[in-house]
Amino acid sequence: MYARTATASLVAAALLGAGALLLIPHSQATDSGTDTAAGARMDTSTEKVIRTVVNTRAIPTPGAPVVLAHRGASAYAPENTLAAVDRANHLGFDWMENDVQRTKDGVLVVIHDTDLKRTTDVEKVFPKRAPWAVKDFTAAEIARLDAGSWFAARYAGTRVPTLAQYLDRIERNDQNLLLEIKSPQSYPGIEKETLRVLRQKGWLNPGHVRYRLVIQSFSADSIKKVHQQRPDVTTGFLGTPAVADLKAYAAFTDQINPSYASISSRYVAAAHALKGAHGRKLRVNTWTVDDAATARKVDGFHVDGIITNTPDVVRRATD
């Protein structure tokens, strides 16, 4: 969660109360409004607590929505790349949103579009391979592509990361993950494979599962599969179900994550009135908000989180 820059006195106070701040049980954190998109990140290590508080990331802004960096800080670096993750980290944001798909040879990669045209030089490198779908290329072939020059010359040579590489980077940066399973209908079994990679990289241990990970999708069936296979994992549905249908979604998900243009304060209140799959208030994270006026508007709806390409703009607007 983003936190305002702390003064020396605030840091001192936070250090004195670090245990109380960081070690609130997840259910209490949710009810008190101090958790993040998946629940406030907790760690029982004193060293970790002190380091986190000094970095000011664990000091919550009461009542403010969580700011989630959409595909990383993608207004300032090429989306879904490690550069975008690092840029978000530099700006002081913990929650990263990303997209996962599968290559021809079964490797999970982080990219949004189902084809490689918009964000890589695939048409130049493989001119005869139209329509350049992600699923038609091997991981080694995708690793050859330049995924940064389209954005800015200084990012030339940036690569499409594998999910494993992406997880390593956000772990190194001490960040959290809102992971979208993209177009699951094109990748049968991707839910199980995503969970396998998360497990291999340590992201399905209790600490990550409870406080640092959310898996979402536009596909209700995909989210149901995740919930069935790992009922402990926090899940989110991307979309705006009718209010009458929210109860049915709450049986298998913890978040309703709709487009900002599709919601109102009444809709958010209807979601909040329900308990999600883990018995906590159904949360609402809205997307994709990139300007201050819209950020203030949805903040007035009392959303729990705002997904944005410009996290610094949203942070200032809702601070």
Side-chain angles (χ1 to χ4, degrees):
M1 175 185 290
Y2 169 74
R4 297 182 180 92
T5 302
T7 62
S9 60
L10 180 57
V11 170
L15 287 171
L16 289 173
L21 177 65
L22 294 181
L23 302 180
I24 300 170
H26 187 40
S27 58
Q28 293 180 23
T30 303
D31 293 339
S32 66
T34 59
D35 74 345
T36 62
R41 186 171 27 165
M42 313 292 183
D43 195 301
T44 55
S45 163
T46 301
E47 180 181 358
K48 174 73 173 293
V49 167
I50 293 174
R51 177 169 59 82
T52 304
V53 171
V54 169
N55 286 342
T56 74
R57 289 186 170 186
I59 306 172
T61 301
V66 178
V67 178
L68 303 100
H70 185 236
R71 309 176 198 172
S74 55
Y76 311 117
E79 64 184 59
N80 274 324
T81 65
L82 303 185
V85 169
D86 289 343
R87 182 61 177 161
N89 186 54
H90 177 75
L91 291 170
F93 292 91
D94 285 351
W95 278 96
M96 301 299 102
E97 188 270 353
N98 78 332
D99 306 276
V100 65
Q101 298 187 60
R102 188 172 65 207
T103 67
K104 183 178 181 179
D105 54 341
V107 177
L108 299 184
V109 292
V110 176
I111 188 169
H112 176 268
D113 296 3
T114 55
D115 65 67
L116 297 154
K117 293 183 292 184
R118 181 176 62 87
T119 58
T120 78
D121 60 349
V122 68
E123 293 179 83
K124 177 181 178 181
V125 178
F126 299 104
K128 298 181 180 180
R129 299 276 294 277
W132 299 286
V134 173
K135 65 181 181 180
D136 293 335
F137 286 78
T138 67
E141 289 171 334
I142 292 176
R144 291 174 53 188
L145 303 178
D146 181 345
S149 291
W150 69 275
F151 186 87
R154 67 180 179 275
Y155 291 110
T158 299
R159 304 303 176 190
V160 175
T162 65
L163 178 59
Q165 291 168 339
Y166 194 94
L167 292 171
D168 284 343
R169 183 58 59 92
I170 60 175
E171 184 68 42
R172 190 192 76 177
N173 290 348
D174 200 23
Q175 293 167 305
N176 309 321
L177 179 61
L178 174 60
L179 185 156
E180 178 184 347
I181 298 177
K182 197 74 179 180
S183 302
Q185 67 277 6
S186 298
Y187 308 107
I190 192 172
E191 296 84 9
K192 183 176 181 179
E193 294 169 4
T194 298
L195 291 169
R196 176 179 56 79
V197 174
L198 287 166
R199 184 178 64 252
Q200 289 173 346
K201 304 306 289 186
W203 277 78
L204 292 185
N205 66 27
H208 287 77
V209 165
R210 292 186 68 193
Y211 309 117
R212 298 183 60 186
L213 175 67
V214 181
I215 298 178
Q216 66 175 359
S217 179
F218 282 99
S219 168
D221 286 340
S222 185
I223 290 305
K224 287 178 182 177
K225 290 176 184 177
V226 172
H227 183 63
Q228 289 164 359
Q229 294 174 35
R230 283 295 302 238
D232 55 332
V233 170
T234 300
T235 59
F237 175 74
L238 279 163
T240 315
V243 169
D245 296 330
L246 286 175
K247 186 175 182 180
Y249 281 83
F252 61 85
T253 195
D254 304 279
Q255 301 179 1
I256 300 296
N257 297 339
S259 165
Y260 74 86
S262 67
I263 61 171
S264 63
S265 58
R266 182 173 297 180
Y267 186 88
V268 175
H272 284 167
L274 298 170
K275 291 185 177 180
H278 288 94
R280 301 184 295 269
K281 179 185 73 175
L282 198 61
R283 299 177 66 88
V284 178
N285 299 320
T286 192
W287 50 271
T288 305
V289 176
D290 292 335
D291 65 277
T294 305
R296 286 190 288 269
K297 180 179 179 180
V298 298
D299 186 19
F301 295 160
H302 303 294
V303 298
D304 301 287
I306 299 176
I307 301 170
T308 172
N309 299 313
T310 57
D312 54 333
V313 172
V314 171
R315 176 182 67 194
R316 286 194 298 269
T318 59
D319 200 9

